[in-house]
Amino acid sequence: MTAIPATNLWIGNAGDARNLQKIRSLEIRAILLLAYEEPIVNYPRDLTLIRLPLLDGGENDFFNFEIAVTSLTSLIQNDVQTLVTCSMGMSRSPVIVSAALAIHHSLPFDDVLTSVCKSIPTDVSPEFYRYVRSVFEKLI
């Protein structure tokens, strides 16, 4: 689990999403689960949980993508400590975090993605990147 500098955001993997002790110690209040292939975990009622299953390619529903980005943007605007996870925490999570931060700060998506990717190990799927890049403009 890695903090994104100058934000209340953390990026992690499926194992991090199950580490309730670490989540509590970081005072994380919301978890955005993006992994299509991971099982659903039971969380305590005081944690906000948003599960939007995205595939690491271009075959996602715009609906799920839009909810993921707008929900995360709202959490950012409200200064909520949030963990964003996908299976490995290296593709879907940094891309969705970058899209939400770009919208929140009115910055170019590619610039924000480059900055986020400097903070964590990444392996962004080219198909997922192209998909997000193509629909990003519809959200702003």
Side-chain angles (χ1 to χ4, degrees):
M1 198 177 317
T2 305
I4 302 304
T7 72
N8 283 331
L9 299 176
W10 297 81
I11 291 181
N13 58 40
D16 295 325
R18 293 187 292 271
N19 188 343
L20 192 56
Q21 183 177 357
K22 181 77 168 178
I23 290 167
R24 292 286 194 212
S25 72
L26 296 171
E27 299 181 0
I28 290 170
R29 294 182 34 223
I31 304 171
L32 177 58
L33 303 168
L34 301 172
Y36 179 85
E37 60 281 358
E38 296 297 330
I40 298 172
V41 176
N42 259 342
Y43 289 94
R45 289 179 183 226
D46 62 329
L47 284 175
T48 298
L49 176 65
I50 303 166
R51 181 178 182 268
L52 294 159
L54 298 176
L55 296 168
D56 208 8
E59 60 278 350
N60 291 288
D61 290 330
F62 176 76
F63 176 75
N64 280 341
F65 171 76
E66 180 181 27
I67 293 173
V69 173
T70 57
S71 296
L72 186 55
T73 302
S74 179
L75 291 164
I76 292 166
Q77 289 169 344
N78 287 286
D79 285 329
V80 176
Q81 285 277 90
T82 303
L83 170 62
V84 181
T85 69
C86 55
S87 286
M88 299 298 292
M90 298 175 74
S91 184
R92 287 165 282 186
S93 296
V95 170
I96 295 299
V97 164
S98 298
L101 286 170
I103 289 170
H104 177 70
H105 294 292
S106 300
L107 294 170
F109 169 71
D110 288 334
D111 292 351
V112 177
L113 180 61
T114 299
S115 177
V116 167
C117 288
K118 289 178 185 175
S119 303
I120 59 170
T122 58
D123 186 19
V124 174
S125 159
E127 285 182 55
F128 190 66
Y129 166 78
R130 281 190 297 273
Y131 168 74
V132 172
R133 189 76 189 93
S134 70
V135 299
F136 177 77
E137 297 297 322
K138 296 177 185 176
L139 293 178
I140 55 175

